[in-house]
Amino acid sequence: MSAGHTILLILALPVAGALGIALAGRIGANLREAVTLVCATALAVIVWGLLPEIMSGERPSFTLAEVVPGIDIAFRVEPLGMLFAALASGLWIVNSIYSIGYMRGNRETKQTQFYAFFAIALAATMGIAFADNLFTLFLFYELLTLSTYPLVSHKGDTKTLRSARVYLGVLLTTSIALLLPAIIWTYFAAGSGNFTSGGILAGKLEGPAVGLLLGLFVFGIGKAAVMPVHRWLPAAMVAPTPVSALLHAVAVVKAGVFAITKVVIYIFGIDFLASESSGNWMLYVAAFTIIAASVVALQQQNLKRLLAYSTIAQLSYVVMAAAILKPLAEIGAALHMVAHAFGKITLFFAAGAIYTAAKKTEIHQLRGIGRRMPWTMAAFTIGALSMIGVPPTGGFVSKWYILAGAFDAGSYIAVATIVISTALNAAYFLPIVYLAWFARETSTPANDHGEAPLAAVLALTITAALTLAFFFFHQPVLELATQIFRGAP
Amino acid sequence: MSSWSNHLPALQVIVPMLTAPLVLLLRPSGLAWAATTIASALAFAVAIALTIGVLDGQSFSYLMGAWPAPYGIELGVDAFSALVLLVVTGASTVALLAGRESLNLEIDAHRQPMFYAAWLLALAGLSGIPVSADAFNIFVFMEISALASYVLIAGGPDRRALPAVFKYLLMGTIGATFYLIGIGLIYLMTGTLNLADMELRIHEVADLKPILVAAGFITIGLALKAAVFPLHVWLPNAYAYAPNAVTVFLAACSTKVALYLLLRFDFFVFQPNLAGHDVQFAYFLMPLAALAILIGSSVALLESNLKRLLAYSSIAQVGYILLGASFVSLSGLTASVLHIFNHALAKGTLFLAVACLTTRCSGLRLENISGAARSMPWTMAAFVVAGLSLIGIPGTAGFISKWYLILAALNEGTVGIVLVGVIVVSSLMAVVYIWRVVEAAYFGDAEAGGAAHREAPPALLAVTWIAALANLYFGLSPSLPLALSTSAAETLMRHVP
């Protein structure tokens, strides 16, 4: 099978899976979940199967259709996209295991719809990861927004709908009003929108126009949640926790920062952007978002909302790393996408497990819960340490590279931001860890609960282990990320 | 060339026209509907056959009664007319297939045969205009379609349709009269009614002043018919109070046919013969187009009746079509002709979704459809798809024509950049007015809305979804309309000196 067909298969498989899930849902819950797991595993196997080829420097590509002359629906697997696709498809398996525990444990309604749209969202994610041009990227970006809407509004009550409205409104408006004009502008300025090593805009634009176009991209890609277009992310927390975990800690938000990184590296080109002072603001906006989101996180009482604001801050790490415009920092950006994904999905899994077992959502309720749910809280602690960047967790590795890049660029603002935000991260995560392990329960809870269902605990143990493992075994990821600047285009 | 395919241009008109009196005789209304639908589907098939022929490079010319042109009446079909024929017959067929149930609700059973006969006459008239190569013949078809449309619009139970149709009748008659005066002047100076012959004969005319006056009359007359701003006042109420199926049919094609004629007449007869006409044409229509786009969209922003909202959006869309044409360039005309097709798709689908909503909601104000998406998820999903197409989101048909329009505008220098601004701003306004509907239907309070807890009738919904999927299909694979519109633009530009 040629590489082109593999790409097509990767895109089609989750869609076929969604159909299979819809059909199997009529027969029985077990069959439906089996279809989900099989589909997720098959997808991961195929995606991971592409790895050796990419490592050896090949860049398989595939053009699905030429819509009009100059605009194609085309895909190409390059290191950054490979990394993103491998991450999302791999975690989909773990997340599916977790979903089974969570959705059954909470007796959620409309489960078939839930699994089906989840699969479609994954197809859209794969499309984003492998898109070879801005047009294709945009198509799948919008598909991802639309396919996650039913997941976010899953509960369907008035409060949920109000949040879902913010979610859909912010993401659609920013993408149509800012991203789409940016894409059209790029096509007209550069004559194409293909992701090309070294960028395509050098010599085509200059002066303030560069900064303006960059602004349209950075704020137009609302999924990256750079302030002030971050409000949709806390709003999205009304979704069932598996959605928050895989989509709003990994697939959707990473699609945002992935797109920004790709635009910076392959559309502007880091050398070109470094030579134009009008693009400098991106670093400051990202730095501001990191600090501001961390400060807001400090004040949160609801665990999932706290995690959401933490995500906003962590996403801007990636944006800031991309904005440092040094290869080391871009590699740090890629590493951070992975490290943060492992850590944050663990944290969300833990939050969902707590909700399932104890029906607790607020931080002050967590006193002494570590004794009732040792596995969950151990995983939570590992995730929290990774967010802070303490060795031996994955968060340390990526922060190290970003810091190295910042020093390389002489950007002390970036260095200072990382230092301050590390302190802030510690300030909002460590009290939770302390409460859970060392405080005493004030009263015995009504239901004398233990751990969450086995599937949920299994999933969060796996991701916590991955968080630790990433500290020791990040070499392959590093090699892949290095290829962005070394490998042939 | 096989002999039967020569007769296709004539069949295009004859099929609906001869079925019309037959339908009158079919008393059980189900039969009348079936006969009308079959005739319309046959007409659609003829249009498809013509399109295939045109794409093969065949040119259709049919001499009525075998009298040679320019003395006899000539029918002709090229890429431009084929595209318009597809839109007209397609819209009619889709509206009929979808509209059975809603028409049963809106029109008394004993009046239905007459209603369907009027429908077929409107179809015959609207498809007669694109196939005719003769100016007076076109006038006759124009009147047939107009008179039949008045009947269709007034045919529903809504009494507000009567003043609306009276306004339409007045304006339509003025438009037709202006057109007739124009042809009269040209006939006076050239002695011919055949469009191709006119182009040649005007060369021989010494005094061009009457031709200039004729150009004015014809342009204004057709602009009235096409609802070009500021001559659009008849349109919103006529669309809003007509039966839903009629709105689907007419909104998709009636103004398009007038625009077709406006372009064809202007480019075939006046552009080659009047010195500096291209500049006058551009300077006259470009500002009107820009104003139509901005004002149509702004009014749509404020409108809270769903059908009127979409009607004002149509006025803006007519502006887009005219804007492309006003560049008098190959790329501009391509965009313009393409938008005729794509807008018909988007707006047709939107009105189909509205027809779905009507079957279950108490009214069509935004508060009436509050929360409707919960009980009618499929209807609203189709509405969203068509709405995205109307806005011009990549992946939908609307994007393709906007892309070409921007491409064409950028060739126009500084003015072009301003016009790109106009296009972008009005697309953003479209985002807002489509969002207002989405907001009401998805996030509104279901208790406050009058929606019954049921999805629309399956037949209606199926047709709506076919139309919605067509928006996606032609957004990802636009080669068919693109080939037709490129060829149409080339034909038109060949007449510009």
Side-chain angles (χ1 to χ4, degrees):
Chain A
M1 189 165 63
S2 78
H5 290 119
T6 314
I7 298 176
L8 196 60
L9 184 64
I10 288 171
L11 294 170
L13 191 64
V15 177
L19 291 177
I21 289 164
L23 290 177
R26 304 191 166 202
I27 300 169
N30 289 333
L31 183 65
R32 176 188 67 208
E33 265 92 308
V35 172
T36 304
L37 281 176
V38 167
C39 179
T41 314
L43 182 71
V45 168
I46 299 170
V47 170
W48 286 70
L50 278 172
L51 253 175
E53 237 177 294
I54 308 304
M55 291 295 236
S56 66
E58 274 182 64
R59 300 288 178 265
S61 64
F62 175 66
T63 302
L64 184 64
E66 185 183 54
V67 177
V68 297
I71 302 185
D72 303 325
I73 300 178
F75 305 94
R76 201 162 61 95
V77 188
E78 47 78 53
L80 200 57
M82 182 68 230
L83 192 62
F84 180 41
L87 182 67
S89 63
L91 286 178
W92 188 27
I93 307 176
V94 188
N95 195 73
S96 301
I97 299 173
Y98 181 81
S99 296
I100 295 168
Y102 182 92
M103 300 302 278
R104 291 188 179 185
N106 286 305
R107 297 197 180 74
E108 292 275 355
T109 53
K110 297 184 286 186
Q111 291 197 25
T112 304
Q113 180 194 315
F114 172 87
Y115 287 108
F117 278 107
F118 219 118
I120 294 174
L122 256 292
T125 308
M126 294 300 126
I128 293 174
F130 292 150
D132 189 31
N133 55 45
L134 287 170
F135 178 78
T136 314
L137 180 80
F138 186 86
L139 287 184
F140 286 97
Y141 183 95
E142 294 296 57
L143 180 63
L144 186 56
T145 306
L146 296 176
S147 62
T148 47
Y149 170 76
L151 296 172
V152 172
S153 62
H154 187 87
K155 229 183 231 168
D157 56 9
T158 315
K159 183 170 159 284
T160 305
L161 282 181
R162 210 178 302 137
S163 294
R165 174 174 169 269
V166 173
Y167 179 81
L168 196 63
V170 171
L171 288 183
L172 278 185
T173 316
T174 51
S175 65
I176 293 170
L178 305 173
L179 178 58
L180 186 55
I183 289 174
I184 292 175
W185 187 358
T186 307
Y187 270 91
F188 282 113
S192 93
N194 290 350
F195 295 121
T196 314
S197 268
I200 54 173
L201 281 168
K204 306 281 173 54
L205 275 184
E206 54 181 1
V210 179
L212 183 61
L213 181 60
L214 184 66
L216 289 177
F217 272 118
V218 171
F219 296 114
I221 301 174
K223 291 190 167 72
V226 174
M227 281 183 180
V229 287
H230 64 284
R231 277 190 53 225
W232 64 270
L233 187 53
M237 292 302 131
V238 295
T241 303
V243 176
S244 308
L246 184 60
L247 297 176
H248 300 120
V250 183
V252 172
V253 291
K254 292 294 166 357
V257 291
F258 167 76
I260 289 185
T261 314
K262 240 181 140 163
V263 164
V264 166
I265 299 178
Y266 295 120
I267 294 293
F268 286 94
I270 56 173
D271 294 331
F272 170 61
L273 208 51
S275 70
E276 284 286 350
S277 57
S278 65
N280 290 352
W281 59 266
M282 183 174 163
L283 183 82
Y284 303 122
V285 169
F288 172 80
T289 305
I290 295 174
I291 303 294
S294 302
V295 170
V296 177
L298 268 179
Q299 304 157 350
Q300 296 306 312
Q301 282 306 311
N302 180 293
L303 185 56
K304 276 179 79 178
R305 283 184 74 84
L306 178 138
L307 293 179
Y309 278 102
S310 158
T311 305
I312 295 172
Q314 298 284 333
L315 290 173
S316 274
Y317 267 89
V318 181
V319 177
M320 187 175 80
I324 290 172
L325 301 173
K326 289 284 172 194
L328 262 182
E330 307 294 339
I331 291 167
L335 287 176
H336 197 65
M337 276 198 245
V338 181
H340 172 249
F342 290 156
K344 194 49 70 61
I345 201 172
T346 309
L347 288 169
F348 272 113
F349 280 172
I354 294 168
Y355 174 72
T356 311
K359 299 285 168 223
K360 286 175 177 172
T361 55
E362 307 301 306
I363 290 164
H364 66 85
Q365 298 170 326
L366 300 182
R367 299 175 71 91
I369 202 163
R371 282 177 227 171
R372 290 181 177 277
M373 306 178 72
W375 285 90
T376 303
M377 286 320 291
F380 186 92
T381 309
I382 292 170
L385 291 178
S386 181
M387 290 301 123
I388 304 167
V390 182
T393 58
F396 172 78
V397 179
S398 52
K399 270 197 185 170
W400 180 264
Y401 277 92
I402 298 173
L403 265 178
F407 276 114
D408 189 20
S411 172
Y412 293 102
I413 291 189
V415 176
T417 307
I418 294 172
V419 172
I420 296 172
S421 88
T422 303
L424 287 169
N425 286 346
Y428 61 79
F429 272 122
L430 292 182
I432 304 176
V433 174
Y434 174 82
L435 272 183
W437 291 114
F438 303 111
R440 290 201 163 275
E441 271 183 354
T442 40
S443 60
T444 317
N447 61 333
D448 198 20
H449 66 88
E451 282 285 4
L454 176 67
V457 178
L458 181 66
L460 62 86
T461 311
I462 295 173
T463 55
L466 284 172
T467 310
L468 291 175
F470 191 67
F471 177 79
F472 300 102
F473 307 109
H474 58 268
Q475 203 59 31
V477 180
L478 187 62
E479 259 172 47
L480 193 59
T482 317
Q483 284 224 357
I484 299 170
F485 296 99
R486 200 184 50 204
Chain B
M1 201 193 298
S2 59
S3 60
W4 64 268
S5 78
N6 286 336
H7 297 285
L8 286 175
L11 282 174
Q12 186 75 78
V13 185
I14 287 171
V15 170
M17 195 173 261
L18 291 189
T19 320
L22 289 180
V23 164
L24 265 186
L25 304 175
L26 295 173
R27 276 301 131 185
S29 61
L31 273 181
W33 171 80
T36 310
T37 310
I38 290 169
S40 174
L42 272 177
F44 189 37
V46 171
I48 291 173
L50 280 169
T51 308
I52 293 171
V54 165
L55 286 175
D56 279 350
Q58 204 174 331
S59 70
F60 292 93
S61 173
Y62 185 84
L63 304 173
M64 291 300 253
W67 289 88
Y71 311 105
I73 291 170
E74 187 189 356
L75 303 182
V77 172
D78 61 7
F80 194 4
S81 21
L83 180 131
V84 175
L85 286 173
L86 276 184
V87 168
V88 170
T89 54
S92 159
T93 311
V94 163
L96 283 167
L97 283 175
R100 170 102 207 268
E101 214 154 317
S102 75
L103 285 173
N104 276 342
L105 286 176
E106 286 166 323
I107 293 157
D108 297 338
H110 71 276
R111 283 173 52 233
Q112 280 195 12
M114 283 181 279
F115 177 85
Y116 285 119
W119 185 296
L120 283 170
L121 287 177
L123 175 62
L126 287 171
S127 36
I129 295 171
V131 298
S132 300
D134 177 290
F136 188 76
N137 223 26
I138 288 175
F139 171 75
V140 173
F141 281 128
M142 199 153 77
E143 284 298 271
I144 293 176
S145 67
L147 292 172
S149 315
Y150 305 146
V151 175
L152 292 181
I153 291 171
D158 196 332
R159 294 292 94 186
R160 286 172 298 182
L162 294 179
V165 101
F166 186 64
K167 202 192 253 175
Y168 183 19
L169 185 143
L170 281 184
M171 309 271 294
T173 310
I174 294 172
T177 312
F178 271 34
Y179 174 76
L180 191 61
I181 293 173
I183 304 181
L185 284 168
I186 296 175
Y187 185 66
L188 212 64
M189 301 308 288
T190 61
T192 184
L193 288 169
N194 186 298
L195 286 180
D197 201 36
M198 271 182 197
E199 180 183 355
L200 302 175
R201 296 275 184 100
I202 296 180
H203 276 307
E204 301 154 14
V205 175
D207 184 10
L208 281 174
K209 274 203 189 100
I211 305 291
L212 205 59
V213 174
F217 270 111
I218 289 174
T219 309
I220 302 287
L222 293 176
L224 250 169
K225 287 268 182 193
V228 172
F229 178 86
L231 305 172
H232 64 275
V233 288
W234 59 266
L235 183 139
N237 282 350
Y239 281 11
Y241 302 129
N244 287 301
V246 174
T247 313
V248 173
F249 177 30
L250 294 183
C253 65
S254 77
T255 57
K256 314 286 189 304
V257 170
L259 282 167
Y260 157 85
L261 187 55
L262 179 63
L263 294 185
R264 166 147 299 214
F265 219 111
D266 203 85
F267 279 81
F268 274 55
V269 178
F270 300 132
Q271 295 281 8
N273 289 311
L274 297 173
H277 182 76
D278 50 343
V279 179
Q280 292 164 359
F281 181 79
Y283 280 19
F284 179 64
L285 290 177
M286 203 184 285
L288 289 185
L291 282 173
I293 293 172
L294 291 175
I295 293 175
S297 303
S298 318
V299 179
L301 281 182
L302 305 172
E303 195 50 68
S304 57
N305 177 307
L306 194 48
K307 276 172 99 174
R308 279 175 63 92
L309 183 154
L310 293 176
Y312 274 105
S313 146
S314 282
I315 291 162
Q317 304 291 328
V318 166
Y320 285 124
I321 297 170
L322 214 53
L323 185 65
S326 74
F327 297 146
V328 195
S329 68
L330 197 58
S331 50
L333 283 167
T334 308
S336 180
V337 178
L338 193 58
H339 202 58
I340 289 181
F341 185 87
N342 288 342
H343 173 245
L345 271 182
K347 199 47 73 61
T349 313
L350 284 170
F351 276 119
L352 280 170
V354 168
C356 290
L357 286 171
T358 324
T359 56
R360 298 288 182 252
C361 296
S362 52
L364 280 176
R365 298 184 65 77
L366 290 181
E367 60 262 28
N368 297 125
I369 61 160
S370 181
R374 257 159 277 173
S375 44
M376 308 176 75
W378 288 97
T379 301
M380 283 315 296
F383 187 94
V384 169
V385 170
L388 293 176
S389 182
L390 189 72
I391 296 165
I393 301 299
T396 60
F399 170 74
I400 308 290
S401 35
K402 285 224 172 125
W403 174 263
Y404 274 89
L405 196 58
I406 291 178
L407 208 66
L410 286 176
N411 288 334
E412 301 295 310
T414 325
V415 187
I417 293 176
V418 175
L419 290 173
V420 170
V422 169
I423 297 168
V424 171
V425 167
S426 99
S427 300
L428 293 180
M429 290 188 198
V431 175
V432 177
Y433 60 71
I434 292 296
W435 175 259
R436 288 178 63 220
V437 181
V438 170
E439 160 116 32
Y442 280 86
F443 308 114
D445 190 359
E447 307 307 313
H453 294 283
R454 231 157 16 121
E455 193 38 281
L460 180 51
L461 197 60
V463 177
T464 308
W465 262 96
I466 290 171
L469 291 176
N471 274 290
L472 296 177
Y473 176 78
F474 288 112
L476 295 173
S477 170
S479 53
L480 167 74
L482 203 54
L484 287 174
S485 51
T486 312
S487 163
E490 278 164 3
T491 315
L492 291 176
M493 281 309 284
R494 223 173 283 140
H495 294 266
V496 178

